[in-house]
Amino acid sequence: MGLLAYRQNITSEHGEDGIIEKIFEVIGEEPRFCIELGALDGKHGSNVWHLIEERGWRALLIEADPTYFEKLQHLYAARLDVV
């Protein structure tokens, strides 16, 4: 069975949330650190929001658009484990 069978959207756009969860179920979750390029506002269309908010992962989120970056900073202002 291919990974596409595990598609599930929490905040992702094309089922990546479920696929990522299945991958880490198979290979393990250590060290629980993720990076997202093009993070937008930190939630909409995010492939890692679920990992950060619901599974306690640390993260590096990168966003070039100043408007989205401001929203991203606001969302994670109190989190020292998300930069």
Side-chain angles (χ1 to χ4, degrees), residues 12-51:
S12 64
E13 294 182 271
H14 304 288
E16 295 93 340
D17 287 317
I19 293 168
I20 290 169
E21 188 159 336
K22 181 60 178 176
I23 290 170
F24 287 117
E25 179 184 306
V26 172
I27 68 171
E29 291 192 11
E30 297 304 321
R32 296 172 56 103
F33 180 81
C34 58
I35 299 172
E36 184 156 54
L37 304 172
L40 295 175
D41 65 1
K43 186 170 183 181
H44 177 78
S46 176
N47 294 326
V48 299
W49 181 88
H50 176 68
L51 297 174

